[in-house]
Amino acid sequence: MDIIFQSGQFYGENSSFFSVLSSFLGALITGGIAILIFYKGNKYNELKDKRKRLLNLKEYQSLISSSCNLIYIAINEQIKKISDHSKTLKDFNSKVIKLSISPSLTTEDFNYLDNKILFDLFVTHKKGENRDKVTDYLQFKNAIRHLERNVSNFHIHNEKIERNLEHHRSKWNENIKILNDLHNQYILESRNSRKANDEFLNRFNKIIISYPKYLNETNQNDNIAVANSILVKNLFQFLKSYNNLNDKRIAEVIIPLQQCDIAYKETASERYNRRLNILKHGRNILRIKINLQKVMLAIEKREFSNI
């Protein structure tokens, strides 16, 4: 009986061990399944996030391409405006001084650009040599910055040339008035003195009277180049050929005459330099367009890498 009891006691302890082991294995399996489900869930969410980021980058690239296409069109329009305005600046009779700037020639459409996302799009998540990708990234950023500077330059110089030409025109008008006042003064003095033959007044009077008449007949009242040729040059030639160097009127006329000539030359210089300026910046924005097209072609050809 003692032997049977001991055996039964041993059997009960063994059963308890297997029960604990079974519970442990069940918990282990349940935990493992939970961990596996959690791991797979994380993998799925991670894959889902990757696809979302990839989709966002593709949309970002499409948005940049669309904005660049609008810039290309605006640059083409602006180059045409520059070409036309360059010809206009040669015409001193034209009152169009300011360069017309295309409203769509603006970098505002690129204000949405985020540097980190842009770097991810150009470099981090694109296949290819890192050096080439970084170069394209920097060229894109530089192109946008240079475009903004050139557009700003167009606006700044529009205000500058208008201000400067107005100053030169005022100087011209002031000294033309002085010449006209002198003309009237000399006529009055001649009448009072009843001088029979006044060579200076006769020639001076002829030039002063003829130049506004010519401008009216040719519809070039605002053409300072023609006025300078008809009035200033003719008066200078007259004074050079006038024999009586003691005539005080020479000194009185020569000062406003010189000022008129200076005003004309400053006006001509201003128009010429403005032509050079807009043609220079026209070439600049054309290069910007070419660089942008080259960079965008490269980025669009590169495949996305695994995100």
Side-chain angles (χ1 to χ4, degrees):
M1 291 297 292
D2 289 339
I3 295 174
I4 294 172
F5 175 75
Q6 289 175 359
S7 175
Q9 189 179 33
F10 179 78
Y11 176 80
E13 289 176 353
N14 191 40
S15 176
S16 176
F17 169 77
F18 279 113
S19 177
V20 171
L21 180 62
S22 176
S23 297
F24 173 75
L25 289 175
L28 185 63
I29 292 171
T30 302
I33 292 173
I35 292 171
L36 182 63
I37 292 173
F38 177 77
Y39 174 77
K40 285 186 174 292
N42 276 352
K43 276 292 184 181
Y44 173 76
N45 289 333
E46 185 179 341
L47 181 61
K48 186 177 178 182
D49 289 340
K50 285 182 177 180
R51 288 175 178 172
K52 184 177 180 180
R53 287 199 298 272
L54 179 60
L55 182 61
N56 288 341
L57 284 177
K58 287 182 176 179
E59 290 178 349
Y60 207 74
Q61 179 174 299
S62 178
L63 186 61
I64 292 175
S65 295
S66 297
S67 296
C68 285
N69 288 333
L70 293 176
I71 286 293
Y72 303 152
I73 295 171
I75 288 176
N76 290 339
E77 291 176 352
Q78 192 59 47
I79 288 174
K80 175 66 168 59
K81 291 177 183 292
I82 288 171
S83 178
D84 292 341
H85 193 61
S86 175
K87 297 172 185 175
T88 300
L89 287 171
K90 290 182 179 180
D91 181 9
F92 282 75
N93 204 42
S94 173
K95 295 181 180 179
V96 180
I97 300 301
K98 289 186 175 182
L99 170 68
S100 174
I101 302 173
S102 175
S104 52
L105 187 66
T106 173
T107 57
E108 289 181 0
D109 284 345
F110 294 96
N111 288 342
Y112 61 83
L113 292 180
D114 179 275
N115 283 329
K116 184 182 182 307
I117 297 178
L118 195 63
F119 190 82
D120 285 344
L121 174 61
F122 274 77
V123 181
T124 309
H125 299 307
K126 283 282 189 171
K127 295 180 180 180
E129 293 291 333
N130 284 337
R131 184 180 63 181
D132 296 336
K133 294 187 293 182
V134 170
T135 297
D136 287 339
Y137 167 77
L138 293 176
Q139 285 187 345
F140 179 85
K141 295 279 290 181
N142 288 337
I144 300 304
R145 186 172 66 254
H146 290 158
L147 178 61
E148 186 174 2
R149 286 180 181 176
N150 279 274
V151 172
S152 175
N153 183 279
F154 288 142
H155 288 286
I156 290 171
H157 281 272
N158 264 350
E159 300 304 321
K160 181 180 177 181
I161 190 173
E162 185 177 48
R163 183 173 61 252
N164 290 352
L165 288 181
E166 181 59 33
H167 171 73
H168 304 327
R169 171 62 72 174
S170 295
K171 181 192 289 187
W172 170 273
N173 290 336
E174 287 171 7
N175 286 281
I176 288 294
K177 183 179 183 304
I178 293 173
L179 288 173
N180 286 327
D181 289 344
L182 286 173
H183 174 241
N184 294 331
Q185 175 187 326
Y186 297 157
I187 289 176
L188 183 61
E189 289 174 351
S190 176
R191 286 175 182 173
N192 292 336
S193 65
R194 296 181 179 180
K195 190 175 181 179
N197 185 22
D198 188 341
E199 181 186 358
F200 184 96
L201 181 57
N202 290 339
R203 295 179 64 181
F204 184 65
N205 181 64
K206 183 178 179 181
I207 296 171
I208 287 289
I209 291 177
S210 64
Y211 104 90
K213 181 181 178 183
Y214 176 83
L215 294 179
N216 285 329
E217 289 175 349
T218 57
N219 195 27
Q220 298 188 90
N221 289 317
D222 294 317
N223 195 327
I224 192 175
V226 174
N228 187 73
S229 177
I230 299 298
L231 176 65
V232 177
K233 287 185 177 181
N234 285 340
L235 281 176
F236 271 131
Q237 289 176 359
F238 153 58
L239 292 178
K240 287 178 181 179
S241 63
Y242 186 58
N243 294 324
N244 187 3
L245 299 180
N246 295 323
D247 194 326
K248 68 179 182 64
R249 292 175 294 186
I250 295 177
E252 293 174 340
V253 169
I254 199 74
I255 295 175
L257 199 58
Q258 288 174 332
Q259 290 301 309
C260 282
D261 193 47
I262 291 172
Y264 160 71
K265 288 177 179 177
E266 288 175 338
T267 299
S269 176
E270 195 75 42
R271 284 176 171 265
Y272 177 75
N273 289 330
R274 178 55 172 158
R275 285 182 61 241
L276 293 183
N277 180 270
I278 64 172
L279 290 173
K280 170 189 171 183
H281 289 284
R283 289 190 292 269
N284 286 348
I285 63 174
L286 181 58
R287 280 194 293 268
I288 289 170
K289 173 191 169 186
I290 293 171
N291 288 339
L292 272 178
Q293 287 175 324
K294 181 181 177 182
V295 168
M296 291 310 299
L297 181 62
I299 191 66
E300 288 166 2
K301 280 186 175 181
R302 289 193 187 104
E303 296 179 358
F304 283 95
S305 60
N306 292 327
I307 300 179

Short mmCIF file of all heavy atoms in Angstrom, two decimals, residues 271-303:
data_model
loop_
_atom_site.label_atom_id
_atom_site.label_comp_id
_atom_site.label_asym_id
_atom_site.label_seq_id
_atom_site.Cartn_x
_atom_site.Cartn_y
_atom_site.Cartn_z
N ARG A 271 18.28 105.99 -72.89
CA ARG A 271 17.54 105.06 -73.74
C ARG A 271 18.44 103.93 -74.24
O ARG A 271 18.04 102.77 -74.27
CB ARG A 271 16.93 105.81 -74.93
CG ARG A 271 15.71 106.63 -74.58
CD ARG A 271 15.22 107.43 -75.77
NE ARG A 271 13.95 108.07 -75.51
CZ ARG A 271 12.76 107.57 -75.84
NH1 ARG A 271 12.69 106.41 -76.46
NH2 ARG A 271 11.65 108.22 -75.57
N TYR A 272 19.66 104.27 -74.62
CA TYR A 272 20.59 103.27 -75.13
C TYR A 272 20.95 102.26 -74.04
O TYR A 272 20.92 101.04 -74.27
CB TYR A 272 21.87 103.96 -75.64
CG TYR A 272 22.93 103.00 -76.11
CD1 TYR A 272 22.81 102.33 -77.33
CD2 TYR A 272 24.08 102.77 -75.34
CE1 TYR A 272 23.79 101.44 -77.75
CE2 TYR A 272 25.06 101.89 -75.76
CZ TYR A 272 24.91 101.23 -76.97
OH TYR A 272 25.88 100.34 -77.39
N ASN A 273 21.29 102.76 -72.86
CA ASN A 273 21.65 101.87 -71.76
C ASN A 273 20.47 101.01 -71.31
O ASN A 273 20.66 99.86 -70.89
CB ASN A 273 22.17 102.68 -70.57
CG ASN A 273 23.54 103.27 -70.84
OD1 ASN A 273 24.34 102.71 -71.58
ND2 ASN A 273 23.82 104.43 -70.24
N ARG A 274 19.27 101.58 -71.42
CA ARG A 274 18.08 100.80 -71.06
C ARG A 274 17.88 99.65 -72.04
O ARG A 274 17.52 98.54 -71.65
CB ARG A 274 16.85 101.71 -71.05
CG ARG A 274 15.51 101.00 -70.75
CD ARG A 274 15.56 100.25 -69.45
NE ARG A 274 14.26 99.74 -69.06
CZ ARG A 274 14.06 98.73 -68.23
NH1 ARG A 274 15.10 98.12 -67.69
NH2 ARG A 274 12.84 98.33 -67.93
N ARG A 275 18.14 99.92 -73.31
CA ARG A 275 18.06 98.86 -74.32
C ARG A 275 19.05 97.74 -74.00
O ARG A 275 18.72 96.56 -74.05
CB ARG A 275 18.34 99.41 -75.72
CG ARG A 275 17.20 100.21 -76.32
CD ARG A 275 17.53 100.68 -77.72
NE ARG A 275 17.77 99.55 -78.61
CZ ARG A 275 18.92 99.32 -79.25
NH1 ARG A 275 19.93 100.14 -79.12
NH2 ARG A 275 19.03 98.27 -80.04
N LEU A 276 20.28 98.13 -73.68
CA LEU A 276 21.30 97.14 -73.33
C LEU A 276 20.87 96.33 -72.11
O LEU A 276 21.07 95.11 -72.05
CB LEU A 276 22.64 97.82 -73.05
CG LEU A 276 23.35 98.49 -74.23
CD1 LEU A 276 24.70 99.05 -73.77
CD2 LEU A 276 23.56 97.51 -75.38
N ASN A 277 20.29 97.03 -71.14
CA ASN A 277 19.88 96.38 -69.89
C ASN A 277 18.78 95.34 -70.11
O ASN A 277 18.88 94.21 -69.62
CB ASN A 277 19.42 97.44 -68.88
CG ASN A 277 18.99 96.84 -67.56
OD1 ASN A 277 17.81 96.52 -67.38
ND2 ASN A 277 19.91 96.71 -66.64
N ILE A 278 17.74 95.72 -70.84
CA ILE A 278 16.64 94.77 -71.02
C ILE A 278 17.04 93.61 -71.93
O ILE A 278 16.57 92.48 -71.75
CB ILE A 278 15.35 95.47 -71.56
CG1 ILE A 278 15.58 96.05 -72.95
CG2 ILE A 278 14.86 96.51 -70.58
CD1 ILE A 278 14.31 96.56 -73.59
N LEU A 279 17.92 93.88 -72.90
CA LEU A 279 18.40 92.79 -73.77
C LEU A 279 19.26 91.82 -72.96
O LEU A 279 19.18 90.60 -73.15
CB LEU A 279 19.19 93.36 -74.94
CG LEU A 279 18.37 94.11 -75.99
CD1 LEU A 279 19.29 94.78 -77.02
CD2 LEU A 279 17.39 93.18 -76.69
N LYS A 280 20.06 92.37 -72.05
CA LYS A 280 20.90 91.53 -71.19
C LYS A 280 20.02 90.62 -70.32
O LYS A 280 20.26 89.41 -70.22
CB LYS A 280 21.78 92.42 -70.30
CG LYS A 280 22.51 91.67 -69.20
CD LYS A 280 23.17 92.64 -68.24
CE LYS A 280 23.71 91.90 -67.02
NZ LYS A 280 24.30 92.85 -66.03
N HIS A 281 19.01 91.21 -69.69
CA HIS A 281 18.15 90.42 -68.81
C HIS A 281 17.22 89.51 -69.61
O HIS A 281 16.77 88.49 -69.09
CB HIS A 281 17.37 91.34 -67.87
CG HIS A 281 18.23 91.97 -66.82
ND1 HIS A 281 18.68 91.30 -65.72
CD2 HIS A 281 18.78 93.22 -66.74
CE1 HIS A 281 19.44 92.09 -64.98
NE2 HIS A 281 19.51 93.26 -65.58
N GLY A 282 16.96 89.88 -70.85
CA GLY A 282 16.22 88.98 -71.73
C GLY A 282 17.02 87.71 -72.00
O GLY A 282 16.48 86.60 -71.97
N ARG A 283 18.32 87.89 -72.25
CA ARG A 283 19.19 86.71 -72.45
C ARG A 283 19.28 85.90 -71.16
O ARG A 283 19.34 84.66 -71.19
CB ARG A 283 20.58 87.17 -72.89
CG ARG A 283 20.63 87.70 -74.31
CD ARG A 283 22.05 87.91 -74.79
NE ARG A 283 22.71 88.99 -74.07
CZ ARG A 283 22.70 90.26 -74.45
NH1 ARG A 283 22.06 90.61 -75.57
NH2 ARG A 283 23.33 91.19 -73.75
N ASN A 284 19.27 86.61 -70.02
CA ASN A 284 19.33 85.91 -68.73
C ASN A 284 18.13 85.00 -68.52
O ASN A 284 18.27 83.83 -68.14
CB ASN A 284 19.40 86.92 -67.58
CG ASN A 284 20.76 87.58 -67.48
OD1 ASN A 284 21.72 87.15 -68.10
ND2 ASN A 284 20.84 88.64 -66.70
N ILE A 285 16.93 85.53 -68.75
CA ILE A 285 15.74 84.70 -68.50
C ILE A 285 15.62 83.59 -69.54
O ILE A 285 15.02 82.54 -69.26
CB ILE A 285 14.45 85.55 -68.45
CG1 ILE A 285 14.16 86.23 -69.78
CG2 ILE A 285 14.51 86.56 -67.31
CD1 ILE A 285 12.82 86.95 -69.81
N LEU A 286 16.18 83.79 -70.72
CA LEU A 286 16.20 82.71 -71.72
C LEU A 286 17.10 81.58 -71.23
O LEU A 286 16.75 80.40 -71.36
CB LEU A 286 16.67 83.24 -73.06
CG LEU A 286 16.71 82.21 -74.21
CD1 LEU A 286 15.33 81.62 -74.44
CD2 LEU A 286 17.24 82.86 -75.48
N ARG A 287 18.27 81.93 -70.67
CA ARG A 287 19.15 80.91 -70.11
C ARG A 287 18.49 80.20 -68.93
O ARG A 287 18.65 78.97 -68.75
CB ARG A 287 20.47 81.54 -69.66
CG ARG A 287 21.45 81.79 -70.80
CD ARG A 287 22.84 82.10 -70.28
NE ARG A 287 22.88 83.36 -69.57
CZ ARG A 287 23.18 84.52 -70.15
NH1 ARG A 287 23.46 84.56 -71.44
NH2 ARG A 287 23.20 85.64 -69.45
N ILE A 288 17.75 80.95 -68.13
CA ILE A 288 17.03 80.35 -67.00
C ILE A 288 16.03 79.32 -67.50
O ILE A 288 15.92 78.21 -66.95
CB ILE A 288 16.33 81.44 -66.17
CG1 ILE A 288 17.35 82.28 -65.41
CG2 ILE A 288 15.33 80.82 -65.18
CD1 ILE A 288 16.78 83.52 -64.76
N LYS A 289 15.32 79.67 -68.55
CA LYS A 289 14.35 78.73 -69.13
C LYS A 289 15.05 77.45 -69.61
O LYS A 289 14.58 76.34 -69.32
CB LYS A 289 13.64 79.40 -70.31
CG LYS A 289 12.73 78.46 -71.09
CD LYS A 289 12.27 79.10 -72.39
CE LYS A 289 11.60 78.07 -73.29
NZ LYS A 289 11.27 78.62 -74.61
N ILE A 290 16.17 77.60 -70.31
CA ILE A 290 16.90 76.45 -70.83
C ILE A 290 17.41 75.57 -69.68
O ILE A 290 17.30 74.34 -69.72
CB ILE A 290 18.08 76.92 -71.72
CG1 ILE A 290 17.54 77.58 -72.99
CG2 ILE A 290 18.99 75.74 -72.08
CD1 ILE A 290 18.60 78.26 -73.83
N ASN A 291 17.94 76.20 -68.63
CA ASN A 291 18.44 75.45 -67.47
C ASN A 291 17.31 74.71 -66.75
O ASN A 291 17.48 73.56 -66.34
CB ASN A 291 19.16 76.38 -66.50
CG ASN A 291 20.50 76.85 -67.03
OD1 ASN A 291 21.08 76.22 -67.92
ND2 ASN A 291 20.99 77.97 -66.53
N LEU A 292 16.18 75.38 -66.59
CA LEU A 292 15.04 74.74 -65.93
C LEU A 292 14.55 73.54 -66.73
O LEU A 292 14.23 72.48 -66.17
CB LEU A 292 13.89 75.75 -65.76
CG LEU A 292 13.88 76.60 -64.49
CD1 LEU A 292 12.70 77.57 -64.51
CD2 LEU A 292 13.83 75.73 -63.24
N GLN A 293 14.46 73.70 -68.05
CA GLN A 293 14.02 72.60 -68.90
C GLN A 293 14.98 71.41 -68.79
O GLN A 293 14.55 70.26 -68.72
CB GLN A 293 13.92 73.06 -70.35
CG GLN A 293 12.74 73.99 -70.62
CD GLN A 293 12.73 74.52 -72.04
OE1 GLN A 293 13.78 74.80 -72.62
NE2 GLN A 293 11.55 74.67 -72.61
N LYS A 294 16.26 71.71 -68.76
CA LYS A 294 17.28 70.65 -68.66
C LYS A 294 17.16 69.92 -67.33
O LYS A 294 17.18 68.67 -67.28
CB LYS A 294 18.67 71.27 -68.80
CG LYS A 294 19.80 70.26 -68.73
CD LYS A 294 21.15 70.98 -68.87
CE LYS A 294 22.30 69.98 -68.72
NZ LYS A 294 23.62 70.66 -68.81
N VAL A 295 17.02 70.68 -66.24
CA VAL A 295 16.91 70.08 -64.91
C VAL A 295 15.63 69.26 -64.77
O VAL A 295 15.66 68.13 -64.26
CB VAL A 295 16.97 71.18 -63.82
CG1 VAL A 295 16.58 70.61 -62.46
CG2 VAL A 295 18.35 71.78 -63.75
N MET A 296 14.52 69.81 -65.22
CA MET A 296 13.24 69.10 -65.10
C MET A 296 13.21 67.84 -65.95
O MET A 296 12.62 66.83 -65.57
CB MET A 296 12.08 70.03 -65.47
CG MET A 296 11.84 71.16 -64.48
SD MET A 296 11.72 70.61 -62.75
CE MET A 296 10.29 69.51 -62.84
N LEU A 297 13.86 67.88 -67.10
CA LEU A 297 13.94 66.68 -67.95
C LEU A 297 14.72 65.59 -67.22
O LEU A 297 14.32 64.41 -67.24
CB LEU A 297 14.61 67.03 -69.28
CG LEU A 297 14.74 65.87 -70.28
CD1 LEU A 297 13.37 65.36 -70.68
CD2 LEU A 297 15.53 66.32 -71.52
N ALA A 298 15.80 65.97 -66.56
CA ALA A 298 16.62 65.01 -65.82
C ALA A 298 15.85 64.40 -64.66
O ALA A 298 15.87 63.18 -64.45
CB ALA A 298 17.91 65.68 -65.33
N ILE A 299 15.15 65.25 -63.89
CA ILE A 299 14.44 64.76 -62.71
C ILE A 299 13.25 63.88 -63.11
O ILE A 299 12.92 62.90 -62.44
CB ILE A 299 13.97 65.93 -61.81
CG1 ILE A 299 13.47 65.41 -60.45
CG2 ILE A 299 12.89 66.75 -62.45
CD1 ILE A 299 14.53 64.79 -59.61
N GLU A 300 12.62 64.20 -64.22
CA GLU A 300 11.47 63.40 -64.66
C GLU A 300 11.91 62.05 -65.23
O GLU A 300 11.15 61.08 -65.18
CB GLU A 300 10.66 64.18 -65.70
CG GLU A 300 9.88 65.34 -65.09
CD GLU A 300 9.35 66.32 -66.13
OE1 GLU A 300 9.58 66.08 -67.33
OE2 GLU A 300 8.74 67.33 -65.73
N LYS A 301 13.14 61.99 -65.76
CA LYS A 301 13.65 60.73 -66.31
C LYS A 301 14.10 59.77 -65.20
O LYS A 301 14.06 58.56 -65.38
CB LYS A 301 14.81 61.01 -67.26
CG LYS A 301 14.40 61.45 -68.65
CD LYS A 301 15.61 61.56 -69.56
CE LYS A 301 15.18 61.87 -71.00
NZ LYS A 301 16.37 61.96 -71.90
N ARG A 302 14.53 60.32 -64.07
CA ARG A 302 15.02 59.49 -62.99
C ARG A 302 13.84 58.79 -62.30
O ARG A 302 12.85 59.41 -61.97
CB ARG A 302 15.78 60.32 -61.96
CG ARG A 302 17.12 60.81 -62.46
CD ARG A 302 17.97 61.35 -61.31
NE ARG A 302 19.20 61.96 -61.85
CZ ARG A 302 19.40 63.26 -61.96
NH1 ARG A 302 18.47 64.10 -61.54
NH2 ARG A 302 20.52 63.72 -62.48
N GLU A 303 14.02 57.50 -62.05
CA GLU A 303 13.00 56.74 -61.36
C GLU A 303 13.07 56.99 -59.86
O GLU A 303 14.13 57.31 -59.31
CB GLU A 303 13.17 55.24 -61.63
CG GLU A 303 12.99 54.84 -63.09
CD GLU A 303 13.19 53.37 -63.29
OE1 GLU A 303 13.50 52.67 -62.31
OE2 GLU A 303 13.04 52.90 -64.45
#
